[in-house]
Amino acid sequence: MTRAIYPGSFDPITMGHLDVIKRASEIVDELIVGVLNNNAKSPLFSVEERVKMIEDTVNFLPNVKVMAFEGLSVDFAESQDAKMLVRGLRAVTDFEYELQMSLTNRKINPNIDTIFFNTSLEYAYLSSSTVKEMAYFGADISECVPDFLVDTIYQKVKERR
Ligand code: ADP
């Protein structure tokens, strides 16, 4: 049984993340979306809110689970008996950072490997920070995130102003 972890902040989940989740879930038996509980990054949404938003987004994918975690992704993977980490690549800038992270992770735990999904072209520009910035300035985010989350995101951004 192949189990993989897709770790990230998902603050909030975007169509780009969902695209990676769907594609990864097709090649593994079980995919766990690991939502990093990292207050140092001062996320817009709490970890509980992010978990719920992802759960509601992926409920049509029976082999995808969502869990919050703290600390290192490799330690979380080990605790879940997963041998693979999934990450996404958009631009060259992602590549440098992701390569360094995956090498570090393999140094810490050589039993766990990282597999990368390149972005789908239509989501190449998309990141959680872009979505937050667009929402902050009242731009249309309906193509960037699942429909049912659009209002929640505008609302949250407004509260933070
Ligand atoms: P982190 O804070 O750990 O970088 P993110 O939530 O920003 O977490 O992203 C999680 C993973 O998803 C990262 O590997 C990132 O490169 C990837 N990712 C984010 N947006 C996209 C996208 N539009 N297409 C493909 N991969 C993406």
Side-chain angles (χ1 to χ4, degrees), residues 6-12 14-17 19-20 23 36 41 86-90 94 97-98 101 116-120 123-129:
Y6 180 24
S9 309
F10 307 102
D11 186 39
T14 69
M15 297 307 278
H17 294 131
D19 176 59
V20 171
R23 288 156 65 204
L36 184 63
K41 270 197 173 177
V86 166
R87 295 286 288 176
L89 290 173
R90 282 157 298 188
D94 274 351
Y97 172 71
E98 294 290 342
M101 278 235 305
F116 294 101
F117 283 82
N118 57 0
T119 182
S120 293
Y123 304 129
Y125 69 98
L126 201 51
S127 68
S128 299
S129 357

Side-chain angles (χ1 to χ4, degrees), residues 141-155:
I141 57 166
S142 59
E143 285 181 13
C144 306
V145 297
D147 281 345
F148 75 98
L149 290 177
V150 170
D151 289 342
T152 314
I153 295 169
Y154 281 130
Q155 189 58 40

Side-chain angles (χ1 to χ4, degrees), residues 131-139 141 154 157-158 160-161:
V131 168
K132 285 182 275 195
E133 198 155 315
M134 286 169 77
Y136 185 83
F137 291 109
I141 57 166
Y154 281 130
V157 165
K158 218 158 85 185
R160 276 287 178 98
R161 279 183 171 211

